[in-house]
Amino acid sequence: MTIQPERPEVLDVTIRIDLSGPARDAALVAARLATALDGLASVDVFPARSHLKLVPDALLHIETGSRRAILLGRHLELTRLEFDLLRYLGAHPDRVFTRAALKTALWPRQDGGDRTVDVHVRKLRAKLAPHLDPITTVRGIGYRFESSAPVALT
């Protein structure tokens, strides 16, 4: 009587790692990950697909290079943090960020509570009102920028 070893099941697993930075960083991370996996799996790097879409009749234009926000043809007076918050959320539509994550990503100093983010979001919303409200509060978690908002990020 011969006992055949069970055929191992093939499991296809995809792990997505989003990196913000130069493309060479992605290649370096992929190489290190492949080394850590020690031949157990292959590691492929794909160029990021833009999450941004062109909005033909955008009410708000966020110009990252010149650090300007233009609402209905008029320049918005934003503080550095307000602009950074608007740009960061706008660059990641439909993604929910906790207050702590936003604070870590955007605030130069980490003192103060997470409610500091709430204050800046409230001030930013006031400057966009009544024409636009692209930032949604996700109760108990943080904030999300709505991809359906008529906003162009350039």
Side-chain angles (χ1 to χ4, degrees):
M1 182 165 144
T2 308
I3 298 175
Q4 299 259 344
E6 287 186 36
R7 213 176 111 210
E9 291 183 35
V10 175
L11 182 62
D12 185 18
V13 176
T14 301
I15 299 173
R16 177 178 165 178
I17 301 172
D18 292 324
L19 299 173
S20 59
R24 68 179 181 275
D25 290 349
L28 179 63
V29 169
R32 287 182 179 167
L33 187 55
T35 301
L37 291 171
D38 197 29
L40 294 173
S42 64
V43 177
D44 299 312
V45 176
F46 299 99
R49 295 184 313 261
S50 176
H51 297 291
L52 306 176
K53 59 182 177 184
L54 294 177
V55 179
D57 295 326
L59 297 180
L60 175 65
H61 293 269
I62 305 168
E63 299 175 354
T64 57
S66 62
R67 294 188 59 84
R68 283 190 286 204
I70 302 167
L71 179 63
L72 296 171
R74 294 180 24 211
H75 180 269
L76 287 177
E77 292 294 327
L78 300 176
T79 66
R80 183 190 64 79
L81 275 171
E82 288 168 347
F83 181 84
D84 289 345
L85 182 61
L86 182 63
R87 179 195 48 78
Y88 190 79
L89 289 171
H92 303 92
D94 294 329
R95 183 171 167 194
V96 178
F97 289 96
T98 64
R99 290 167 179 86
L102 289 170
K103 193 169 174 204
T104 300
L106 300 173
W107 267 252
R109 295 184 332 204
Q110 297 303 310
D111 54 343
D114 289 344
R115 296 298 177 186
T116 301
V117 176
D118 296 344
V119 171
H120 283 81
V121 168
R122 186 176 67 243
K123 289 180 179 181
L124 181 56
R125 282 178 169 160
K127 292 179 180 183
L128 296 172
H131 309 290
L132 191 62
D133 188 17
I135 302 169
T136 301
T137 300
V138 180
R139 288 185 60 98
I141 299 175
Y143 297 100
R144 171 181 56 234
F145 193 91
E146 298 298 332
S147 64
S148 61
V151 175
L153 183 64
T154 56

